[in-house]
Amino acid sequence: MIADELGVTKAAVYHKFRAKQDIVLAVAEVELARLEKVVDAAEAEECSLQARELLLTRVIDLAVERRHVLNTMQADPIMVRFLAEHEPFQRLTKRLFFVLMGKDATLEKRVPAAMISGAIGGAAAHPLAMRLDDDTLRYHLTHLAHRLLQFPE
């Protein structure tokens, strides 16, 4: 299917990638690089509220723009296992949550942050939201995330 979609032979795909897992890992690395740029930008902000706002906005933008890839990544057992065991991904998520919650990761901050992390990607890739236009989905994800994280109005 990949070869057909790219308009190349299956042999060309197998020459570059020896196994399905290699393809999955290559896709994961591309997506992680996008997320890392978002976290880098948020960490560069001097004000923690602005950092949280930037992080949330850009993570939602990524989820909306890449929702078809997210859907595939979340459904692929190799991808799920890879991300669970991938140390760079674990470090990146720690950085992301530090920006989102700050130094004092109290229960009151951890639970909403956990919900948001699952909800943004889950909602963006959910069949109920797949047919929404990008702007509508982005608006609703942002509005609900702000409410859950108790951002100032």
Side-chain angles (χ1 to χ4, degrees):
M1 289 176 5
I2 293 170
D4 291 342
E5 186 69 27
L6 294 174
V8 300
T9 66
K10 289 179 185 176
V13 173
Y14 283 117
H15 178 72
K16 178 74 176 163
F17 302 103
R18 301 285 181 219
K20 177 186 175 189
Q21 183 172 348
D22 296 335
I23 297 170
V24 171
L25 298 180
V27 170
E29 291 296 335
V30 169
E31 295 305 317
L32 290 178
R34 287 185 168 100
L35 183 58
E36 188 164 21
K37 286 181 184 178
V38 167
V39 175
D40 289 346
E43 288 174 334
E45 290 290 326
E46 291 188 23
C47 171
S48 64
L49 183 58
Q50 289 174 339
R52 289 173 56 207
E53 179 65 42
L54 179 69
L55 178 74
L56 188 61
T57 299
R58 292 199 181 166
V59 165
I60 289 171
D61 286 345
L62 262 181
V64 170
E65 292 165 13
R66 310 291 298 161
R67 60 178 139 167
H68 297 289
V69 174
L70 263 177
N71 190 29
T72 302
M73 289 177 70
Q74 291 172 350
D76 188 299
I78 294 173
M79 181 68 75
V80 171
R81 187 177 67 241
F82 168 74
L83 291 175
E85 299 169 354
H86 191 57
E87 220 171 287
F89 177 70
Q90 293 170 358
R91 284 192 304 271
L92 182 59
T93 56
K94 282 182 184 177
R95 290 173 51 208
L96 184 148
F97 283 118
F98 185 79
V99 171
L100 196 57
M101 297 182 299
K103 295 175 193 171
D104 57 336
T106 62
L107 180 63
E108 289 75 20
K109 289 183 179 181
R110 289 193 334 247
V111 173
M115 289 179 69
I116 286 296
S117 73
I120 291 172
H126 196 280
L128 293 173
M130 281 302 243
R131 292 192 177 148
L132 294 176
D133 67 88
D134 289 355
D135 290 336
T136 300
L137 180 58
R138 187 177 288 111
Y139 168 79
H140 286 286
L141 288 174
T142 301
H143 176 72
L144 292 169
H146 281 179
R147 286 180 57 197
L148 185 60
L149 294 172
Q150 300 178 340
F151 274 31
E153 297 290 328

